[in-house]
């Protein structure tokens, strides 16, 4: 029960962090960090896939409401909600995920976590930026934005792990 | 039905994914102006290409009908064309002046045939007997003399052009009033020859030549041309003078037929 409350509080915290602070960060139009996806990444391994999708949709839609872009973030988060189980399977350690563990640094190590975060962040940002520009004409410009922003978002997510779960 | 439900349950994650993505994109296109325009444009383009191909195909089927329709329309429009009609209006008017009596009246006419490249050139104009044109009337253009009416039918007249070796018109040098006769030597349609100017008279290059008014045909003072060059051989009594014509006979379009109202009176004296 306490865990669920923790997740809800985390959800509210990261949504506000995103819409109040991170949405206003735009270094020369290239770097737009979208750290809120951390809420999808740190959900337990056992989360049912259908529930993951619905949570992803709610998360994306909430961000959309605040940033006045209905559907854009929702589409991107549902996309990584769908991808997450496949990515987890792909980068799974040799002896699989142990029961009662969470996808965090302290269980599976920094290398694994960075790989995990970067793959899903890249997927999310690619999807998001391409439906934002909605054309392939400025492909390399969009690609640069994706790479820079993904790097920035991944750093924030990995860094926040140390910051929040040190205790 | 059972199988379908089983299928859906088996792949419920995919279905939820597709439904949620569909819903997201639906919202995206409904609510974001830019994406909406883009999506609509793509749709319009696609349907435009489709309809275009379809109509390109169906056009062939009605080609025969279309051709017939166009031919009929062409015929109808041709009948309405200005060129199919002959102008029948007479632009002439008489002024009743108690102090001065009108001697010349003018009839506007359009040239319908013209030539400049023969030795004896004739013009055809679109006014004839019905409009008051009679043989031996003068024909002038806004820039100068053109010729003399030769034959007249009800609606048309033939005009002896100045560019005709049979025509001689009485002309004078405007500056000093000495007169001679002007004729065409059959060489160049821009120039004529002024004869019978005696050598003791001083003429200059660029002197204006006008009609003399010494005949019953031309009024006095209609422009003819200007002296381009003149010479005389030893022993001659007259200059040989080339006159550049003011009227460009290749460009003539509208002319005036000059009617001398007192011609008969003058003629009766000459008898």
């Amino acid at each position: 029960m306490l865990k669920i409350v923790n997740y809800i509080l985390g959800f509210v915290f990261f949504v506000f962090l995103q819409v109040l602070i991170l949405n206003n960060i735009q270094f020369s139009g290239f770097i737009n960090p979208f750290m809120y996806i951390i809420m999808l990444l740190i959900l337990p391994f056992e989360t049912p896939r259908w529930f993951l999708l619905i949570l992803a949709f709610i998360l994306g839609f909430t961000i959309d409401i605040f940033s006045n872009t209905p559907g854009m973030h929702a589409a991107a988060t549902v996309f990584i909600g769908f991808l997450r189980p496949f990515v987890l399977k792909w980068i799974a350690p040799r002896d699989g995920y142990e029961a009662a563990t969470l996808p965090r640094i302290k269980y599976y190590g920094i290398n694994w976590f960075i790989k995990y975060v970067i793959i899903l962040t890249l997927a999310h940002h690619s999807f998001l930026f391409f439906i934002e520009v909605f054309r392939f004409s400025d492909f390399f410009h969009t690609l640069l934005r994706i790479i820079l922003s993904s790097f920035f978002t991944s750093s924030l997510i990995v860094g926040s792990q140390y910051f929040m779960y040190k205790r | 039905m059972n199988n379908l439900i089983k299928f859906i349950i088996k792949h419920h994650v995919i279905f939820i994914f597709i439904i949620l993505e569909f819903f997201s994109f639906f919202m995206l296109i409904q609510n974001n102006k830019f994406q909406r325009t883009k999506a609509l444009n793509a749709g319009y383009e696609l349907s435009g290409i489709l309809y275009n191909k379809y109509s390109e195909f169906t056009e062939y089927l009605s080609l025969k009908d279309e051709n017939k329709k166009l031919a009929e329309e062409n015929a109808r429009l041709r009948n309405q064309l200005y060129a199919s009609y002959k102008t029948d209006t007479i632009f002439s008017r008489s002024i009743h002046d108690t102090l001065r009596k009108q001697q010349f009246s003018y009839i506007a006419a359009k040239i319908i045939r013209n030539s400049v490249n023969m030795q004896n050139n004739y013009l055809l104009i679109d006014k004839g007997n019905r409009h008051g044109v009679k043989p031996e009337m003068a024909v002038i253009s806004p820039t100068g003399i053109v010729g003399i009416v030769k034959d007249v039918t009800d609606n048309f007249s033939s005009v002896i052009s100045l560019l005709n070796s049979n025509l001689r018109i009485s002309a004078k040098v405007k500056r000093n009033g000495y007169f001679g006769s002007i004729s065409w030597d059959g060489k160049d349609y821009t120039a004529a020859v002024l004869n019978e100017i005696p050598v003791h008279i001083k003429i200059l290059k660029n002197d204006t030549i006008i009609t003399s008014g010494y005949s019953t045909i031309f009024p006095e003072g209609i422009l003819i041309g200007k002296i381009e060059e003149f010479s005389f051989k030893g022993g001659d009594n007259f200059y040989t003078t080339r006159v550049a014509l003011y009227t460009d006979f290749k460009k003539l379009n509208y002319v005036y037929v000059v009617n001398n109202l007192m011609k008969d009176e003058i003629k009766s004296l000459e008898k």
Side-chain angles (χ1 to χ4, degrees), chain B residues 157-201:
Chain B
S157 312
S158 72
V159 175
I160 309 175
S161 165
L162 178 63
L163 307 182
N164 187 312
S165 49
N166 297 326
L167 189 70
R168 296 179 86 81
I169 293 166
S170 178
K172 66 180 178 186
V173 182
K174 191 181 178 189
R175 192 167 52 82
N176 52 26
Y178 283 98
F179 74 94
S181 74
I182 198 149
S183 61
W184 190 51
D185 55 1
K187 287 174 190 160
D188 180 3
Y189 73 93
T190 59
V193 179
L194 178 65
N195 314 295
E196 296 160 31
I197 299 288
V199 289
H200 67 272
I201 292 160

CSV table of all heavy atoms in Angstrom, one decimal, chain B residues 157-201:
chain,number,residue,atom,x,y,z
B,157,SER,N,-15.3,50.1,-102.8
B,157,SER,CA,-14.7,50.9,-103.8
B,157,SER,C,-13.3,50.5,-104.0
B,157,SER,O,-12.6,50.0,-103.0
B,157,SER,CB,-14.7,52.4,-103.4
B,157,SER,OG,-15.9,52.8,-102.9
B,158,SER,N,-12.8,50.7,-105.2
B,158,SER,CA,-11.3,50.4,-105.4
B,158,SER,C,-10.7,51.8,-105.5
B,158,SER,O,-11.3,52.8,-106.0
B,158,SER,CB,-11.1,49.6,-106.7
B,158,SER,OG,-11.3,50.4,-107.8
B,159,VAL,N,-9.5,51.9,-105.0
B,159,VAL,CA,-8.8,53.2,-104.9
B,159,VAL,C,-7.4,53.0,-105.6
B,159,VAL,O,-6.7,52.1,-105.3
B,159,VAL,CB,-8.6,53.5,-103.4
B,159,VAL,CG1,-7.7,54.8,-103.3
B,159,VAL,CG2,-9.9,53.7,-102.7
B,160,ILE,N,-7.1,53.9,-106.5
B,160,ILE,CA,-5.8,54.0,-107.1
B,160,ILE,C,-4.9,54.6,-106.0
B,160,ILE,O,-5.0,55.7,-105.5
B,160,ILE,CB,-5.7,54.9,-108.3
B,160,ILE,CG1,-6.8,54.5,-109.3
B,160,ILE,CG2,-4.4,54.8,-109.0
B,160,ILE,CD1,-6.9,55.4,-110.5
B,161,SER,N,-3.9,53.7,-105.6
B,161,SER,CA,-3.0,54.2,-104.5
B,161,SER,C,-2.1,55.2,-105.1
B,161,SER,O,-1.8,55.3,-106.3
B,161,SER,CB,-2.3,53.0,-104.0
B,161,SER,OG,-1.2,53.3,-103.3
B,162,LEU,N,-1.5,56.0,-104.2
B,162,LEU,CA,-0.4,56.9,-104.7
B,162,LEU,C,0.7,56.1,-105.2
B,162,LEU,O,1.5,56.6,-106.1
B,162,LEU,CB,0.0,57.8,-103.5
B,162,LEU,CG,1.2,58.8,-103.8
B,162,LEU,CD1,0.8,59.8,-104.8
B,162,LEU,CD2,1.6,59.5,-102.5
B,163,LEU,N,0.9,54.9,-104.8
B,163,LEU,CA,1.9,54.0,-105.2
B,163,LEU,C,1.4,53.3,-106.5
B,163,LEU,O,1.3,52.1,-106.6
B,163,LEU,CB,2.2,52.9,-104.2
B,163,LEU,CG,2.5,53.4,-102.8
B,163,LEU,CD1,2.9,52.3,-101.9
B,163,LEU,CD2,3.7,54.4,-102.8
B,164,ASN,N,1.1,54.1,-107.5
B,164,ASN,CA,0.7,53.6,-108.8
B,164,ASN,C,1.3,54.5,-109.9
B,164,ASN,O,1.1,55.8,-109.8
B,164,ASN,CB,-0.9,53.7,-108.8
B,164,ASN,CG,-1.5,53.0,-110.0
B,164,ASN,OD1,-1.0,53.3,-111.1
B,164,ASN,ND2,-2.5,52.2,-109.8
B,165,SER,N,1.9,54.0,-110.8
B,165,SER,CA,2.7,54.8,-111.7
B,165,SER,C,1.8,55.6,-112.7
B,165,SER,O,2.2,56.5,-113.4
B,165,SER,CB,3.7,54.0,-112.6
B,165,SER,OG,3.0,52.8,-113.1
B,166,ASN,N,0.5,55.3,-112.7
B,166,ASN,CA,-0.5,56.1,-113.5
B,166,ASN,C,-1.0,57.3,-112.8
B,166,ASN,O,-1.7,58.1,-113.4
B,166,ASN,CB,-1.7,55.2,-113.9
B,166,ASN,CG,-1.2,54.0,-114.7
B,166,ASN,OD1,-0.3,54.1,-115.5
B,166,ASN,ND2,-1.9,52.9,-114.5
B,167,LEU,N,-0.7,57.5,-111.6
B,167,LEU,CA,-1.3,58.6,-110.8
B,167,LEU,C,-0.4,59.8,-110.7
B,167,LEU,O,0.8,59.6,-110.4
B,167,LEU,CB,-1.7,58.1,-109.4
B,167,LEU,CG,-2.6,59.1,-108.6
B,167,LEU,CD1,-4.0,59.1,-109.2
B,167,LEU,CD2,-2.7,58.6,-107.2
B,168,ARG,N,-0.9,60.9,-111.0
B,168,ARG,CA,-0.1,62.1,-110.8
B,168,ARG,C,-1.0,63.1,-110.0
B,168,ARG,O,-2.2,63.3,-110.3
B,168,ARG,CB,0.2,62.8,-112.1
B,168,ARG,CG,1.2,61.9,-113.0
B,168,ARG,CD,1.4,62.6,-114.3
B,168,ARG,NE,2.6,63.6,-114.2
B,168,ARG,CZ,3.8,63.2,-114.3
B,168,ARG,NH1,4.1,61.9,-114.4
B,168,ARG,NH2,4.8,64.0,-114.2
B,169,ILE,N,-0.5,63.6,-109.0
B,169,ILE,CA,-1.2,64.5,-108.1
B,169,ILE,C,-0.5,65.9,-108.0
B,169,ILE,O,0.7,65.9,-107.9
B,169,ILE,CB,-1.4,63.9,-106.7
B,169,ILE,CG1,-2.3,62.6,-106.8
B,169,ILE,CG2,-2.0,64.9,-105.7
B,169,ILE,CD1,-2.2,61.8,-105.6
B,170,SER,N,-1.3,66.9,-108.1
B,170,SER,CA,-0.7,68.2,-108.1
B,170,SER,C,-0.3,68.5,-106.6
B,170,SER,O,-1.1,68.4,-105.7
B,170,SER,CB,-1.8,69.2,-108.5
B,170,SER,OG,-1.3,70.5,-108.4
B,171,ALA,N,1.0,69.0,-106.5
B,171,ALA,CA,1.5,69.2,-105.1
B,171,ALA,C,2.3,70.5,-105.1
B,171,ALA,O,2.7,71.0,-106.2
B,171,ALA,CB,2.4,68.0,-104.7
B,172,LYS,N,2.5,71.0,-104.0
B,172,LYS,CA,3.4,72.2,-103.9
B,172,LYS,C,4.3,72.2,-102.7
B,172,LYS,O,4.1,71.5,-101.7
B,172,LYS,CB,2.5,73.5,-103.9
B,172,LYS,CG,1.6,73.6,-102.7
B,172,LYS,CD,0.8,74.9,-102.7
B,172,LYS,CE,-0.1,75.1,-101.5
B,172,LYS,NZ,-1.0,76.2,-101.7
B,173,VAL,N,5.3,73.0,-102.8
B,173,VAL,CA,6.2,73.2,-101.6
B,173,VAL,C,5.6,74.1,-100.7
B,173,VAL,O,5.2,75.3,-101.0
B,173,VAL,CB,7.6,73.7,-102.1
B,173,VAL,CG1,8.5,73.8,-100.9
B,173,VAL,CG2,8.2,72.8,-103.2
B,174,LYS,N,5.4,73.7,-99.5
B,174,LYS,CA,4.7,74.5,-98.5
B,174,LYS,C,5.3,75.8,-98.2
B,174,LYS,O,4.7,76.9,-98.1
B,174,LYS,CB,4.5,73.7,-97.2
B,174,LYS,CG,3.5,74.3,-96.2
B,174,LYS,CD,3.5,73.5,-95.0
B,174,LYS,CE,2.5,74.1,-94.0
B,174,LYS,NZ,2.7,73.4,-92.7
B,175,ARG,N,6.7,75.8,-98.2
B,175,ARG,CA,7.4,77.0,-97.7
B,175,ARG,C,7.2,78.2,-98.7
B,175,ARG,O,7.1,79.3,-98.3
B,175,ARG,CB,8.9,76.7,-97.6
B,175,ARG,CG,9.7,77.7,-96.9
B,175,ARG,CD,11.0,77.1,-96.5
B,175,ARG,NE,11.7,76.5,-97.6
B,175,ARG,CZ,12.4,77.2,-98.5
B,175,ARG,NH1,12.6,78.5,-98.4
B,175,ARG,NH2,13.0,76.6,-99.5
B,176,ASN,N,7.3,77.9,-100.1
B,176,ASN,CA,7.2,79.0,-101.0
B,176,ASN,C,6.1,78.9,-102.0
B,176,ASN,O,5.9,79.8,-102.8
B,176,ASN,CB,8.6,79.1,-101.7
B,176,ASN,CG,9.0,77.8,-102.4
B,176,ASN,OD1,8.1,77.0,-102.6
B,176,ASN,ND2,10.3,77.6,-102.6
B,177,GLY,N,5.3,77.8,-102.0
B,177,GLY,CA,4.1,77.8,-102.8
B,177,GLY,C,4.3,77.3,-104.2
B,177,GLY,O,3.3,77.2,-104.9
B,178,TYR,N,5.5,77.1,-104.6
B,178,TYR,CA,5.7,76.6,-106.0
B,178,TYR,C,5.2,75.2,-106.2
B,178,TYR,O,5.3,74.4,-105.3
B,178,TYR,CB,7.2,76.6,-106.4
B,178,TYR,CG,7.7,78.0,-106.7
B,178,TYR,CD1,8.3,78.8,-105.8
B,178,TYR,CD2,7.4,78.6,-108.0
B,178,TYR,CE1,8.7,80.1,-106.1
B,178,TYR,CE2,7.8,79.8,-108.3
B,178,TYR,CZ,8.4,80.6,-107.3
B,178,TYR,OH,8.8,81.9,-107.6
B,179,PHE,N,4.5,75.0,-107.3
B,179,PHE,CA,3.9,73.7,-107.4
B,179,PHE,C,4.4,72.8,-108.5
B,179,PHE,O,5.0,73.3,-109.5
B,179,PHE,CB,2.3,73.8,-107.6
B,179,PHE,CG,1.9,74.3,-108.9
B,179,PHE,CD1,1.5,73.4,-109.9
B,179,PHE,CD2,1.8,75.6,-109.2
B,179,PHE,CE1,1.1,73.8,-111.1
B,179,PHE,CE2,1.4,76.1,-110.5
B,179,PHE,CZ,1.1,75.2,-111.4
B,180,GLY,N,4.2,71.5,-108.4
B,180,GLY,CA,4.7,70.6,-109.4
B,180,GLY,C,3.7,69.4,-109.3
B,180,GLY,O,2.5,69.6,-108.9
B,181,SER,N,4.1,68.3,-109.8
B,181,SER,CA,3.2,67.1,-109.6
B,181,SER,C,4.0,66.0,-109.0
B,181,SER,O,5.2,65.8,-109.2
B,181,SER,CB,2.7,66.7,-111.0
B,181,SER,OG,3.7,66.1,-111.7
B,182,ILE,N,3.3,65.2,-108.2
B,182,ILE,CA,4.0,64.1,-107.5
B,182,ILE,C,3.5,62.8,-108.1
B,182,ILE,O,2.4,62.6,-108.5
B,182,ILE,CB,3.7,64.2,-106.0
B,182,ILE,CG1,4.8,63.3,-105.3
B,182,ILE,CG2,2.3,63.7,-105.6
B,182,ILE,CD1,5.1,63.9,-103.9
B,183,SER,N,4.5,61.9,-108.3
B,183,SER,CA,4.1,60.6,-108.8
B,183,SER,C,5.1,59.5,-108.2
B,183,SER,O,6.0,59.9,-107.5
B,183,SER,CB,4.3,60.6,-110.4
B,183,SER,OG,5.6,60.9,-110.7
B,184,TRP,N,4.8,58.3,-108.5
B,184,TRP,CA,5.6,57.2,-107.9
B,184,TRP,C,6.5,56.6,-108.9
B,184,TRP,O,6.0,56.3,-110.0
B,184,TRP,CB,4.7,56.2,-107.2
B,184,TRP,CG,5.4,55.2,-106.3
B,184,TRP,CD1,6.3,55.5,-105.4
B,184,TRP,CD2,5.3,53.8,-106.4
B,184,TRP,NE1,6.8,54.3,-104.8
B,184,TRP,CE2,6.2,53.3,-105.4
B,184,TRP,CE3,4.6,52.9,-107.2
B,184,TRP,CZ2,6.3,51.9,-105.2
B,184,TRP,CZ3,4.7,51.6,-107.0
B,184,TRP,CH2,5.6,51.1,-106.0
B,185,ASP,N,7.8,56.4,-108.6
B,185,ASP,CA,8.6,55.8,-109.6
B,185,ASP,C,8.6,54.2,-109.6
B,185,ASP,O,9.4,53.6,-110.3
B,185,ASP,CB,10.1,56.3,-109.5
B,185,ASP,CG,10.6,56.1,-108.1
B,185,ASP,OD1,9.9,55.5,-107.2
B,185,ASP,OD2,11.7,56.6,-107.8
B,186,GLY,N,7.8,53.7,-108.7
B,186,GLY,CA,7.7,52.2,-108.7
B,186,GLY,C,8.8,51.5,-108.0
B,186,GLY,O,9.0,50.3,-108.1
B,187,LYS,N,9.6,52.2,-107.2
B,187,LYS,CA,10.8,51.5,-106.6
B,187,LYS,C,10.5,51.2,-105.1
B,187,LYS,O,10.6,50.1,-104.6
B,187,LYS,CB,12.0,52.4,-106.7
B,187,LYS,CG,12.6,52.4,-108.1
B,187,LYS,CD,13.7,53.4,-108.2
B,187,LYS,CE,14.1,53.6,-109.7
B,187,LYS,NZ,14.9,54.8,-109.9
B,188,ASP,N,10.3,52.3,-104.4
B,188,ASP,CA,10.3,52.2,-102.9
B,188,ASP,C,9.0,52.7,-102.4
B,188,ASP,O,8.6,53.8,-102.7
B,188,ASP,CB,11.5,53.0,-102.3
B,188,ASP,CG,11.6,52.9,-100.8
B,188,ASP,OD1,10.7,52.2,-100.2
B,188,ASP,OD2,12.4,53.6,-100.3
B,189,TYR,N,8.2,51.9,-101.6
B,189,TYR,CA,6.9,52.4,-101.1
B,189,TYR,C,7.0,53.5,-100.1
B,189,TYR,O,5.9,54.0,-99.7
B,189,TYR,CB,6.1,51.2,-100.6
B,189,TYR,CG,6.5,50.7,-99.3
B,189,TYR,CD1,5.9,51.2,-98.1
B,189,TYR,CD2,7.5,49.7,-99.1
B,189,TYR,CE1,6.3,50.7,-96.9
B,189,TYR,CE2,7.8,49.2,-97.9
B,189,TYR,CZ,7.2,49.8,-96.8
B,189,TYR,OH,7.6,49.3,-95.5
B,190,THR,N,8.2,53.9,-99.7
B,190,THR,CA,8.2,55.0,-98.7
B,190,THR,C,8.6,56.3,-99.4
B,190,THR,O,8.6,57.3,-98.7
B,190,THR,CB,9.3,54.7,-97.6
B,190,THR,OG1,10.6,54.6,-98.3
B,190,THR,CG2,9.0,53.5,-96.9
B,191,ALA,N,8.8,56.3,-100.7
B,191,ALA,CA,9.2,57.6,-101.3
B,191,ALA,C,8.5,57.8,-102.7
B,191,ALA,O,8.2,56.8,-103.4
B,191,ALA,CB,10.7,57.6,-101.5
B,192,ALA,N,8.3,59.0,-103.0
B,192,ALA,CA,7.7,59.3,-104.4
B,192,ALA,C,8.6,60.4,-105.0
B,192,ALA,O,9.6,60.8,-104.4
B,192,ALA,CB,6.3,59.8,-104.2
B,193,VAL,N,8.3,60.8,-106.2
B,193,VAL,CA,9.1,61.8,-106.9
B,193,VAL,C,8.3,63.0,-107.2
B,193,VAL,O,7.1,63.0,-107.6
B,193,VAL,CB,9.6,61.2,-108.3
B,193,VAL,CG1,10.4,62.2,-109.0
B,193,VAL,CG2,10.4,59.9,-108.0
B,194,LEU,N,8.9,64.2,-106.9
B,194,LEU,CA,8.2,65.4,-107.2
B,194,LEU,C,8.8,66.0,-108.5
B,194,LEU,O,10.0,66.2,-108.6
B,194,LEU,CB,8.4,66.4,-106.0
B,194,LEU,CG,7.8,67.8,-106.2
B,194,LEU,CD1,6.3,67.7,-106.2
B,194,LEU,CD2,8.2,68.7,-105.0
B,195,ASN,N,8.0,66.2,-109.5
B,195,ASN,CA,8.5,66.7,-110.8
B,195,ASN,C,8.1,68.2,-111.0
B,195,ASN,O,7.3,68.7,-110.2
B,195,ASN,CB,7.9,65.9,-111.9
B,195,ASN,CG,7.9,64.4,-111.6
B,195,ASN,OD1,9.0,63.9,-111.5
B,195,ASN,ND2,6.8,63.8,-111.4
B,196,GLU,N,8.7,68.8,-112.0
B,196,GLU,CA,8.3,70.1,-112.5
B,196,GLU,C,8.5,71.2,-111.6
B,196,GLU,O,7.8,72.2,-111.6
B,196,GLU,CB,6.8,70.1,-113.0
B,196,GLU,CG,6.5,69.1,-114.1
B,196,GLU,CD,5.0,68.8,-114.2
B,196,GLU,OE1,4.2,69.6,-113.8
B,196,GLU,OE2,4.7,67.6,-114.6
B,197,ILE,N,9.5,71.1,-110.7
B,197,ILE,CA,9.9,72.2,-109.9
B,197,ILE,C,11.1,72.9,-110.6
B,197,ILE,O,12.1,72.2,-110.8
B,197,ILE,CB,10.4,71.8,-108.5
B,197,ILE,CG1,9.2,71.2,-107.7
B,197,ILE,CG2,10.9,73.0,-107.7
B,197,ILE,CD1,8.1,72.1,-107.3
B,198,PRO,N,11.0,74.1,-111.1
B,198,PRO,CA,12.0,74.7,-111.9
B,198,PRO,C,13.3,74.9,-111.1
B,198,PRO,O,13.2,75.1,-109.9
B,198,PRO,CB,11.4,76.0,-112.4
B,198,PRO,CG,10.0,76.0,-111.9
B,198,PRO,CD,9.8,74.9,-111.0
B,199,VAL,N,14.4,74.9,-111.8
B,199,VAL,CA,15.7,75.0,-111.1
B,199,VAL,C,16.0,76.3,-110.5
B,199,VAL,O,16.8,76.4,-109.6
B,199,VAL,CB,16.9,74.5,-112.0
B,199,VAL,CG1,16.9,73.1,-112.3
B,199,VAL,CG2,16.9,75.3,-113.3
B,200,HIS,N,15.3,77.3,-111.0
B,200,HIS,CA,15.7,78.6,-110.4
B,200,HIS,C,15.0,78.8,-109.0
B,200,HIS,O,15.3,79.8,-108.3
B,200,HIS,CB,15.2,79.8,-111.3
B,200,HIS,CG,13.7,79.9,-111.5
B,200,HIS,ND1,13.0,79.1,-112.4
B,200,HIS,CD2,12.8,80.6,-110.8
B,200,HIS,CE1,11.7,79.4,-112.3
B,200,HIS,NE2,11.6,80.3,-111.3
B,201,ILE,N,14.2,77.9,-108.6
B,201,ILE,CA,13.5,78.0,-107.3
B,201,ILE,C,14.4,77.4,-106.3
B,201,ILE,O,15.0,76.3,-106.5
B,201,ILE,CB,12.1,77.4,-107.4
B,201,ILE,CG1,11.3,78.2,-108.3
B,201,ILE,CG2,11.6,77.3,-106.0
B,201,ILE,CD1,10.1,77.5,-108.7
